């Protein structure tokens, strides 16, 4: 969900299998693999599509270089760990009568979206600051890199989905500091409940008021305003909804989201609800937690605007949506001080996170690492399975001492003709108190190779 104030935007925000009686199933949006991004003189190539450049084009090679990183899908990456925990929570929170998860997940949708998807379908006013060229990365006047994963909500609802999570990278031009980066990651969610399900115990109750029909272009006849935007600020309810429907939806949403926060931060976490404003939900709230002596906003949520549902073909239903920034959660949970670290390929950072566990980040040396590969043939009578990895690690430790940061087996190969086996290790060196020169590293690396030859009679490749 895109969390907006009247002055600026801040990024943030999910399916039972749908009842297709209320709308026609449409084709799901395409999945993507490689962006194959290329900026040409007059065009831009992205995801096998070519876009004509114009005065709105402001993509840079640096921003495009992030398109294929997919940090949220990299196993053991902090962002992926947080994503997995949220997914598992919703899989368990909503089950079908047969015990299957109701929610589906879309985590590799193309980040190139239309202006209509990113703004118009979500009722974001034409003059809203979030549309500014200075705030977004535009491919051209008609397309941009999504500023929020909420941009996919309408197309997924139109495809017949009632409960879904959308996860992905989003792009926003922003200030430079430890908590801002032009690319970050969001998890967006939607749950739609049909009137029959919401009031299955009280079938006489309805989702919508019988005397009111929403006219988005004319404002609210009940408040006397001429702007539908002004009507969104009303925290009571949307004029079209019955109070009973709104209160049931609100109760379920808040119960689920408090449970999520307690799952992530512990049962004892202090939290509070704060009234908020978003163009696409009404009423709206932010959920804050008390952390390190201060209240921190964790997510934005609210009851979806009925106009959005109606335009997507949904009738006699009410929905809630929420959005959360994965970096925000991960920085708190893992105690990561700088958002740039998420993009690090430094093994000293990445190797700290394993097995879906929340651990506190330990600052790595500020001195650069050096990495050398070591490849060797095993003796003819020895197989890969017979080679003891821990023995090799001990040789490396004994020779290299504390300047060894990590050792990784990156390749194993058996020659198809000779049957001889080969192993390749990547050894990462880093001194904790000074910068190592490549010449120093090469000396240590050569000594490790010599020890290995002497002890195992291997042949260095």
């Amino acid at each position: 969900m895109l969390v907006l104030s009247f002055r600026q935007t801040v990024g943030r925000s999910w399916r039972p299998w749908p009842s297709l009686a209320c709308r026609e199933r449409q084709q799901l949006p395409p999945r993507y693999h490689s962006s194959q991004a290329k900026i040409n003189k007059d065009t831009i190539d992205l995801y096998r599509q070519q876009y004509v450049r114009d005065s709105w084009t402001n993509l840079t090679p640096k921003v495009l270089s992030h398109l294929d990183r997919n940090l949220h899908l990299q196993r053991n990456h902090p962002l992926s760990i947080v994503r997995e925990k949220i997914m598992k929570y919703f899989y368990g929170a909503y089950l079908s009568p047969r015990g299957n998860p109701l929610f589906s997940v879309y985590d590799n949708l193309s980040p190139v979206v239309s202006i209509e998807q990113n703004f118009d379908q979500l009722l974001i006013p034409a003059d809203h600051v979030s549309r500014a060229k200075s705030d977004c990365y535009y491919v051209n006047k008609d397309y941009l890199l999504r500023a929020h994963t909420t941009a996919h909500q309408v197309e997924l609802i139109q495809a017949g989905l009632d409960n879904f999570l959308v996860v992905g990278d989003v792009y926003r031009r922003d200030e430079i500091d430890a908590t801002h980066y032009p690319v970050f990651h969001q998890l967006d969610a939607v749950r739609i409940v049909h009137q029959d399900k919401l009031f299955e115990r009280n079938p006489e109750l309805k989702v919508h008021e019988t005397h009111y029909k929403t006219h988005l272009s004319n404002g609210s006849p009940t408040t006397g305003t001429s702007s539908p935007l002004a009507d969104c600020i009303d925290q009571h309810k949307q004029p079209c909804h019955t109070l009973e429907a709104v209160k049931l939806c609100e109760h379920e949403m808040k119960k689920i989201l408090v449970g999520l926060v307690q799952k992530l931060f512990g049962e004892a976490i202090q939290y509070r609800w704060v009234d908020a404003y978003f163009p696409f939900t009404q009423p709206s709230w932010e959920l804050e937690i008390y952390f390190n002596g201060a209240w921190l906003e964790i997510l934005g949520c609210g009851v979806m605007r009925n106009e959005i549902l109606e335009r997507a073909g949904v009738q006699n239903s009410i929905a809630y949506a929420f959005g959360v920034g994965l970096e925000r959660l991960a920085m708190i949970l893992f105690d990561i001080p700088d958002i740039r670290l998420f993009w690090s390929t430094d093994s000293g950072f990445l190797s700290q996170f394993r097995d879906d566990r929340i651990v506190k980040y330990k600052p790595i040396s500020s001195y650069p690492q050096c990495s050398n590969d070591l490849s060797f043939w095993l003796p003819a009578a020895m197989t890969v399975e017979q080679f003891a990895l821990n023995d090799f690690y001990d040789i490396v430790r004994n020779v290299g001492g504390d300047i060894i940061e990590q050792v990784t087996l990156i390749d194993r190969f058996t020659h198809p003709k000779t049957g001889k086996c080969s192993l390749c290790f990547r050894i990462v060196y880093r001194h904790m108190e000074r910068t190592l020169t490549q010449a120093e590293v090469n000396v240590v690396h050569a000594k490790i190779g010599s020890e290995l030859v002497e002890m195992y009679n291997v042949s260095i490749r």
Side-chain angles (χ1 to χ4, degrees):
M1 179 183 291
L2 181 65
V3 178
L4 303 108
S5 69
F6 287 108
R7 295 172 53 236
Q8 61 181 7
T9 60
V10 183
R12 304 291 179 256
S13 272
W14 23 269
R15 138 188 161 140
W17 279 105
S19 169
L20 298 185
C22 59
R23 60 195 186 278
E24 179 182 356
R25 179 184 291 274
Q26 298 186 18
Q27 185 178 3
L28 290 176
R31 302 295 176 109
Y32 73 88
H33 299 284
S34 172
S35 66
Q36 299 178 327
K38 182 180 180 182
I39 299 179
N40 308 304
K41 180 180 179 181
D42 299 315
T43 60
I44 294 179
D45 298 330
L46 289 170
Y47 302 106
R48 302 180 182 178
Q49 297 289 326
Q50 190 168 78
Y51 301 88
V52 177
R53 299 180 62 177
D54 58 26
S55 61
W56 278 83
T57 305
N58 60 0
L59 293 180
T60 65
K62 179 65 175 177
V63 167
L64 292 180
S65 70
H66 293 80
L67 286 175
D68 297 323
R69 294 290 301 277
N70 296 326
L71 301 184
H72 63 293
L73 299 178
Q74 292 183 16
R75 180 172 173 79
N76 291 324
H77 192 282
L79 298 180
S80 182
I81 292 174
V82 173
R83 173 187 62 88
E84 287 279 354
K85 288 187 174 297
I86 297 175
M87 286 170 46
K88 289 179 181 178
Y89 174 78
F90 275 93
Y91 284 163
Y94 289 98
L95 297 174
S96 71
R98 295 185 177 183
N100 298 317
L102 292 180
F103 272 80
S104 57
V105 178
Y106 298 86
D107 53 18
N108 62 350
L109 300 178
S110 172
V112 180
V113 298
S114 67
I115 302 301
E116 182 181 13
Q117 288 174 289
N118 202 82
F119 301 114
D120 299 341
Q121 292 178 343
L122 301 173
L123 310 183
I124 298 174
D127 60 350
H128 198 279
V129 65
S130 65
R131 293 177 179 253
K133 186 178 177 181
S134 59
D135 274 31
C136 299
Y137 286 102
Y138 281 88
V139 180
N140 55 33
K141 63 182 179 62
D142 298 317
Y143 294 92
L144 72 159
L145 298 182
R146 62 189 170 210
H148 50 172
T149 46
T150 318
H152 299 289
Q153 281 189 2
V154 171
E155 60 185 329
L156 290 172
I157 294 172
Q158 288 175 333
L161 303 178
D162 290 340
N163 299 275
F164 55 85
L165 298 161
V166 184
V167 195
D169 43 340
V170 298
Y171 298 78
R172 196 82 55 78
R173 304 182 75 181
D174 213 333
E175 57 191 295
I176 301 174
D177 59 31
T179 60
H180 293 84
Y181 200 77
V183 189
F184 52 103
H185 297 76
Q186 293 182 340
L187 184 146
D188 220 87
V190 168
R191 170 163 168 76
I192 302 173
V193 184
H194 190 267
Q195 178 173 278
D196 294 344
K197 180 65 175 178
L198 187 69
F199 294 125
E200 59 183 347
R201 296 183 180 180
N202 304 95
E204 72 279 5
L205 297 178
K206 305 296 181 184
V207 165
H208 294 121
E209 299 282 6
T210 57
H211 65 279
Y212 188 89
K213 176 65 177 177
T214 300
H215 296 286
L216 181 62
S217 60
N218 297 325
S220 169
T222 61
T223 62
T225 62
S226 60
S227 169
L229 182 61
D231 296 335
C232 291
I233 304 172
D234 179 13
Q235 275 296 99
H236 183 59
K237 68 181 185 68
Q238 297 172 48
C240 61
H241 288 146
T242 63
L243 184 60
E244 294 86 354
V246 173
K247 289 303 179 183
L248 281 176
C249 186
E250 176 187 344
H251 174 76
E252 177 183 328
M253 177 188 70
K254 288 185 175 180
K255 180 181 178 181
I256 288 294
L257 295 182
V258 167
L260 172 62
V261 167
Q262 290 175 335
K263 185 72 174 179
L264 293 173
F265 296 97
E267 294 286 337
I269 190 71
Q270 295 183 57
Y271 65 88
R272 69 182 183 186
W273 293 99
V274 179
D275 290 350
Y277 159 74
F278 312 118
F280 28 77
T281 56
Q282 177 193 1
S284 306
W285 298 270
E286 289 178 347
L287 180 55
E288 297 183 350
I289 63 170
Y290 195 71
F291 183 80
N292 283 349
W295 287 100
L296 297 177
E297 180 263 320
I298 292 298
L299 58 83
C301 62
V303 178
M304 286 188 68
R305 292 283 298 278
N306 190 60
E307 297 93 326
I308 296 176
L309 295 180
E310 285 190 342
R311 292 177 178 182
V314 178
Q315 304 293 330
N316 296 322
S317 300
I318 192 169
Y320 75 77
F322 85 91
V324 62
L326 296 185
E327 277 85 350
R328 167 67 63 88
L329 292 180
M331 292 179 80
I332 297 172
L333 289 168
F334 295 97
D335 201 19
I336 295 174
D338 194 316
I339 196 171
R340 293 173 299 173
L341 284 169
F342 292 114
W343 297 92
S344 174
T345 57
D346 192 316
S347 60
F349 172 76
L350 296 174
S351 63
Q352 297 188 35
F353 311 102
R354 286 287 183 274
D355 304 325
D356 199 31
R357 292 183 294 112
I358 301 296
V359 297
K360 295 302 180 182
Y361 162 72
K362 297 178 181 179
I364 57 178
S365 169
S366 59
Y367 298 100
Q369 62 181 194
C370 297
S371 62
N372 283 17
D373 292 349
L374 182 60
S375 300
F376 51 88
W377 290 105
L378 297 178
M382 181 180 290
T383 65
V384 170
E385 290 72 26
Q386 292 173 324
F387 183 79
L389 293 179
N390 285 338
D391 290 346
F392 174 70
Y393 297 152
D394 283 342
I395 292 175
V396 175
R397 290 191 187 99
N398 290 337
V399 175
D402 290 336
I403 69 169
I404 304 298
E405 185 171 272
Q406 188 177 26
V407 179
T408 307
L409 176 62
I410 61 173
D411 185 50
R412 55 182 80 193
F413 170 74
T414 300
H415 197 283
K417 292 184 178 180
T418 66
K420 292 186 65 176
C421 299
S422 169
L423 296 175
C424 181
F425 290 87
R426 179 158 295 156
I427 304 176
V428 178
Y429 303 82
R430 190 204 307 266
H431 201 289
M432 298 300 293
E433 298 177 350
R434 64 178 179 83
T435 299
L436 287 172
T437 66
Q438 189 62 56
E440 290 177 295
V441 169
N442 290 344
V443 170
V444 176
H445 200 70
K447 189 173 182 180
I448 292 173
S450 298
E451 291 284 331
L452 190 61
V453 169
E454 182 177 339
M455 292 188 65
Y456 286 97
N457 195 31
V458 301
S459 302
I460 303 297
R461 297 182 64 181

